[in-house]
Amino acid sequence: MQHVTVPQDRIGVVIGAGGETMREIEERANVRLDVDSESGSVAIEERDDPVAAMVAPDVIKAIGRGFTPETALSILDHDLRTLDLIDLSEHTRNDNDLQRKKGRIIGENGRTRELLEELSGANVVVYGSTVGAVGQPEELEVVRRAVGMLLDGAPHGAVYSYLERMSNELDDDVSFSAPQ
């Protein structure tokens, strides 16, 4: 049995309306969930499929870190799709520094975060003191590098250029269509 702690304000999202999300996670990951809404603790008990059960904690963590249940459940749909969390508190000196760096990652009206998603192909969420990304390994590497550049103070223009370059490279790598 595994345990994941979910922030109090995200417990309702894990459970879903009438327990719908919780049932869907249990069914698709072949696990049994025991949610303690007081403490935010979620116990995950494996049923028949140990491989799906290994991924279930990431689905719960993803919802807990601000992803929609649909995005979190997409981790179960693709073998290589995973959750990656970047702890911003490791890169900041104090709360003011944390807020400033979160602002750099989110950007004006959320534009930088949107570009991170759009150009990397991963889903990206900034929640609390973490940046979460759900995607394929190469997409997560692009997000991790771009966030690192922003945390190090790189100009947004340089980060956008990097993202565009990597987006083109990722597109080139996955174009399997035959020439016409």
Side-chain angles (χ1 to χ4, degrees):
M1 186 177 300
Q2 300 181 58
H3 293 273
V4 175
T5 303
V6 176
Q8 203 64 41
D9 63 328
R10 298 293 296 170
I11 287 288
V13 183
V14 171
I15 296 169
E20 186 179 324
T21 303
M22 190 169 96
R23 279 194 301 278
E24 186 173 357
I25 294 168
E26 287 178 330
E27 185 179 303
R28 291 189 46 200
N30 205 9
V31 294
R32 186 173 138 7
L33 299 179
D34 183 18
V35 179
D36 180 348
S37 52
E38 295 292 314
S39 68
S41 176
V42 179
I44 305 162
E45 185 180 332
E46 160 188 332
R47 284 198 198 144
D48 308 331
D49 184 359
V51 175
M54 284 174 36
V55 179
D58 280 349
V59 173
I60 303 294
K61 282 181 202 167
I63 294 172
R65 296 319 310 159
F67 287 98
T68 64
E70 294 76 30
T71 299
L73 284 162
S74 74
I75 296 170
L76 295 169
D77 296 336
H78 307 284
D79 288 344
L80 295 176
R81 196 164 166 86
T82 57
L83 168 70
D84 188 17
L85 293 175
I86 302 168
D87 186 356
L88 298 177
S89 63
E90 295 175 0
H91 303 277
T92 57
R93 296 181 303 272
N94 55 40
D95 279 348
N96 286 342
D97 195 31
L98 173 66
Q99 293 307 317
R100 188 179 62 75
K101 289 187 177 182
K102 276 175 57 175
R104 285 183 53 79
I105 295 164
I106 295 167
E108 190 172 332
N109 297 321
R111 187 66 186 135
T112 301
R113 188 202 60 78
E114 286 174 7
L115 282 170
L116 271 169
E117 279 191 335
E118 200 176 295
L119 295 172
S120 71
N123 296 93
V124 179
V125 170
V126 180
Y127 178 87
S129 64
T130 61
V131 174
V134 171
Q136 304 289 339
E138 58 277 359
E139 296 167 346
L140 298 178
E141 185 55 40
V142 170
V143 170
R144 189 168 272 284
R145 176 97 192 275
V147 168
M149 291 170 72
L150 289 166
L151 291 173
D152 289 342
H156 280 81
V159 177
Y160 298 159
S161 294
Y162 164 75
L163 286 168
E164 286 177 9
R165 190 173 63 252
M166 295 312 293
S167 176
N168 291 334
E169 285 181 27
L170 289 174
D171 289 345
D172 290 346
D173 287 349
V174 293
S175 63
F176 298 108
S177 59
Q180 297 189 352

